[in-house]
Amino acid sequence: MAIILPKNDNNEQAKSYSDRFIKQAKIGTFLHQANIRKESGLSPLFLFQFIFSLVFQGKNLYRTLESGRIDNAPSKDAIYRFLNRPTFNWRKFLVTISSFLIKTRLLPLTSEGRARVLILDDSTYSRNRSKSVELLSRVHDHSTNRYLKGFRMLTLGWSDGGTFLPLAFSLLSSDKEKNRYQGLNQRIDKRTVGYRRRKEAIQKSTETMFSLLDQVNPFQLCASTLLFDSWFAFPVVIKRVLTEYHLHVVCMLKNMHRVYYTYNGSEYTLGQLYKVLRKKRGRAKILSSVVVGLGKAQNGNDVLVKIIFVRDRNRSKKWLAILTTNLELSDEEVIRIYGKRWEIECFFKVTKSHLHLAKEFQCRSYDALTAHTTIVFVRYIMLALSAREEKDPKTLGELFYLCCDEIEDIRFTEAVLLIIDLFASSFSKEFLLSEEQIQHFLDTFFEQLPAFLKSSLQKRAVA
């Protein structure tokens, strides 16, 4: 008689958010497709699952491995070999898993008329205390207006207005060698995907933006519009997205003195254009809108765009300008679609505040940074899908703590069941009681427990 079944891979899997997600998302299959395969030792799926669950257990890698409290835990060398492999295509892994979940789990939940968009934005990836990280550079943090050590994390994601999922990213170093604290590791095999990612990291962000777009198929994801802020809103970028990728653009504009728009046969900067337009009276939120020329595309056709001027709610006498290449949309619809871009800001906040982005490991290799960031993004995907499927509205932060609580409850009940199992074994040896007598004693004991504890223990015993 045994209350707890013998320890093996199947019986030890906790029925938690993370275990269900890893099985449903076919993580093992997509790891294999991305060339993340076992050459020796432990399987990549086991190592991925081990790292993936650390944050929900409130642990870091070093203390977990040093404590020795986890049976069959991998060695530190195995973990770092897994993270540092330059032949592993982590971008393909992230794109395929996100695309699979979008097509199978999210698209069936929304109507065909709902706008689905791609969102592009960057955020700081801080490594302020580091000195020897590969391609570490001096980057500007726009939120604090300060410079720091780290990278710019350029991220492309998908949203239907209810759920945001990351598709691809690149950790950008500076394109100027004088701003880089460390250079590229010359020992990396130039035939590997890791070397290509390093070369991509020292390109300009507008070039890397198109590398990310090359990895996804917007039409399979039912996305027809790309959103980004004013940092990428250059005419050459907008025209290339429209002509080469056949995506409409909705973006914020900034007043640049070298960028001109054609209106009534004359060229104006954004500030000059605003002055010549007729404004709505009163406290209207939409001040004006106009169709202007953006120049000729590579195919020789004129590119027409609509610019909408809206009142800045933080500064009543100032204005903001939003551009769209889709002339069929109303002004209100353009503003509503651009509002979806806020979801990527929430994504950055959750990954940094809850999921330990750039804080969990002190890796020096660019490959390890890419691998760990991918695992953090997959953690976010799990929380985002759980939030979408929950009947009652919960924030991603609440779901994160629910995952942590669930794992803690599982560990507690397993410990109690282990004590009971040892107690029953001792009774059978010392007092020579039969299995039926011990089972009767345990059943009586269980009946006296509080209802909440009884149900939890019974579920774990059955599992």
Side-chain angles (χ1 to χ4, degrees):
M1 186 274 297
I3 296 175
I4 302 180
L5 297 175
K7 291 185 177 181
N8 56 56
D9 292 341
N10 293 327
N11 297 329
E12 284 190 322
Q13 287 197 1
K15 303 301 181 182
S16 62
Y17 277 102
S18 59
D19 295 309
R20 290 194 299 269
F21 170 76
I22 287 175
K23 182 178 180 181
Q24 294 171 359
K26 300 182 179 179
I27 297 294
T29 300
F30 294 123
L31 285 172
H32 187 79
Q33 291 179 2
N35 199 37
I36 306 174
R37 303 172 185 175
K38 174 181 176 179
E39 293 184 0
S40 63
L42 299 172
S43 72
L45 178 60
F46 176 81
L47 295 172
F48 178 93
Q49 190 167 4
F50 178 81
I51 300 171
F52 182 85
S53 62
L54 283 177
V55 68
F56 301 111
Q57 300 176 35
K59 296 180 178 180
N60 62 50
L61 178 66
Y62 176 78
R63 292 190 180 277
T64 300
L65 298 180
E66 288 295 318
S67 65
R69 295 179 180 177
I70 299 181
D71 295 335
N72 301 323
S75 66
K76 184 163 67 172
D77 290 342
I79 292 291
Y80 281 99
R81 281 197 300 268
F82 174 70
L83 296 174
N84 290 327
R85 193 67 62 85
T87 57
F88 289 175
N89 195 341
W90 288 103
R91 178 176 294 175
K92 181 179 179 180
F93 169 71
L94 182 62
V95 168
T96 52
I97 187 176
S98 296
S99 300
F100 169 75
L101 292 172
I102 289 170
K103 289 184 285 188
T104 59
R105 303 280 289 278
L106 295 179
L107 289 181
L109 299 179
T110 57
S111 63
E112 295 182 358
R114 190 179 184 90
R116 291 100 167 195
V117 298
L118 298 180
I119 307 174
L120 183 82
D121 201 3
D122 64 342
S123 181
T124 55
Y125 188 100
S126 176
R127 291 296 299 265
N128 248 345
R129 297 185 179 183
S130 301
K131 296 181 180 179
S132 303
V133 175
E134 188 179 1
L135 294 179
L136 185 71
S137 66
R138 183 171 179 261
V139 296
H140 184 251
D141 187 353
H142 303 294
S143 60
T144 61
N145 200 27
R146 294 180 180 179
Y147 285 90
L148 51 82
K149 292 180 181 179
F151 302 87
R152 289 175 59 204
M153 186 175 67
L154 184 63
T155 306
L156 177 68
W158 177 95
S159 174
D160 61 354
T163 303
F164 173 86
L165 293 189
L167 291 170
F169 71 92
S170 181
L171 297 177
L172 300 179
S173 181
S174 175
D175 58 339
K176 298 180 181 178
E177 188 174 356
K178 64 179 182 180
N179 290 335
R180 296 199 292 266
Y181 296 100
Q182 295 292 332
L184 187 149
N185 185 358
Q186 298 297 332
R187 293 177 296 177
I188 298 296
D189 189 341
K190 294 180 173 56
R191 296 169 297 178
T192 62
V193 65
Y195 180 79
R196 293 197 295 272
R197 296 291 172 264
R198 288 167 168 82
K199 296 296 289 184
E200 182 184 88
I202 57 178
Q203 293 178 345
K204 292 185 177 180
S205 58
T206 49
E207 290 299 320
T208 307
M209 163 186 174
F210 295 111
S211 298
L212 298 182
L213 285 173
D214 288 336
Q215 301 296 313
V216 303
N217 189 333
F219 301 104
Q220 285 187 356
L221 305 179
C222 300
S224 59
T225 305
L226 176 65
L227 310 182
F228 49 79
D229 62 10
S230 58
W231 295 105
F232 304 94
F234 299 97
V236 63
V237 173
I238 296 171
K239 289 185 288 187
R240 185 174 174 183
V241 172
L242 184 64
T243 57
E244 292 186 17
Y245 297 90
H246 307 288
L247 288 170
H248 284 295
V249 172
V250 175
C251 64
M252 187 73 73
L253 295 176
K254 58 183 176 181
N255 190 16
M256 295 180 282
H257 65 279
R258 294 184 180 180
V259 177
Y260 294 92
Y261 305 92
T262 304
Y263 175 62
N264 286 340
S266 301
E267 293 185 341
Y268 301 92
T269 64
L270 190 64
Q272 293 169 347
L273 181 64
Y274 177 76
K275 291 180 180 179
V276 301
L277 294 178
R278 184 176 179 179
K279 321 301 186 300
K280 294 182 180 179
R281 295 181 178 180
R283 298 290 298 175
K285 295 181 179 180
I286 299 177
L287 300 173
S288 183
S289 65
V290 62
V291 176
V292 298
L294 200 62
K296 293 185 179 294
Q298 293 181 350
N299 56 15
N301 296 330
D302 291 328
V303 177
L304 298 179
V305 298
K306 181 194 287 188
I307 299 178
I308 303 166
F309 293 93
V310 298
R311 191 180 304 277
D312 189 343
R313 63 181 182 181
N314 297 321
R315 297 173 295 177
S316 60
K317 294 184 179 180
K318 299 291 183 178
W319 47 267
L320 302 172
I322 300 176
L323 177 146
T324 178
T325 58
N326 191 347
L327 305 182
E328 298 179 359
L329 296 177
S330 64
D331 296 350
E332 292 78 9
E333 182 68 8
V334 172
I335 296 172
R336 187 187 67 81
I337 291 176
Y338 185 75
K340 297 177 187 290
R341 201 192 69 83
W342 179 249
E343 295 181 37
I344 199 170
E345 302 291 350
C346 299
F347 161 75
F348 291 142
K349 178 67 174 177
V350 171
T351 53
K352 293 178 181 180
S353 299
H354 296 295
L355 304 180
H356 294 183
L357 179 67
K359 301 175 184 177
E360 194 167 12
F361 300 141
Q362 295 302 314
C363 304
R364 297 181 181 181
S365 164
Y366 188 82
D367 294 308
L369 296 177
T370 302
H372 180 250
T373 303
T374 303
I375 295 173
V376 171
F377 281 16
V378 177
R379 290 171 180 164
Y380 179 90
I381 291 172
M382 182 192 74
L383 295 178
L385 290 177
S386 298
R388 183 64 173 261
E389 294 170 354
E390 288 284 338
K391 294 182 180 180
D392 55 330
K394 290 185 177 71
T395 64
L396 292 182
E398 288 176 318
L399 281 171
F400 169 76
Y401 289 115
L402 282 175
C403 290
C404 297
D405 292 342
E406 183 183 36
I407 291 177
E408 288 299 320
D409 290 342
I410 289 169
R411 293 165 62 193
F412 172 74
T413 53
E414 286 179 342
V416 173
L417 285 171
L418 179 60
I419 293 172
I420 295 173
D421 191 40
L422 293 174
F423 180 72
S425 299
S426 299
F427 255 66
S428 63
K429 293 178 181 178
E430 296 294 334
F431 299 100
L432 301 177
L433 297 178
S434 66
E435 185 173 331
E436 290 76 11
Q437 290 174 316
I438 295 176
Q439 187 63 50
H440 176 73
F441 172 78
L442 292 176
D443 291 341
T444 305
F445 173 74
F446 271 104
E447 289 300 324
Q448 304 301 318
L449 292 176
F452 75 95
L453 186 58
K454 188 194 322 183
S455 62
S456 180
L457 291 173
Q458 286 175 343
K459 288 179 181 178
R460 295 304 302 160
V462 172

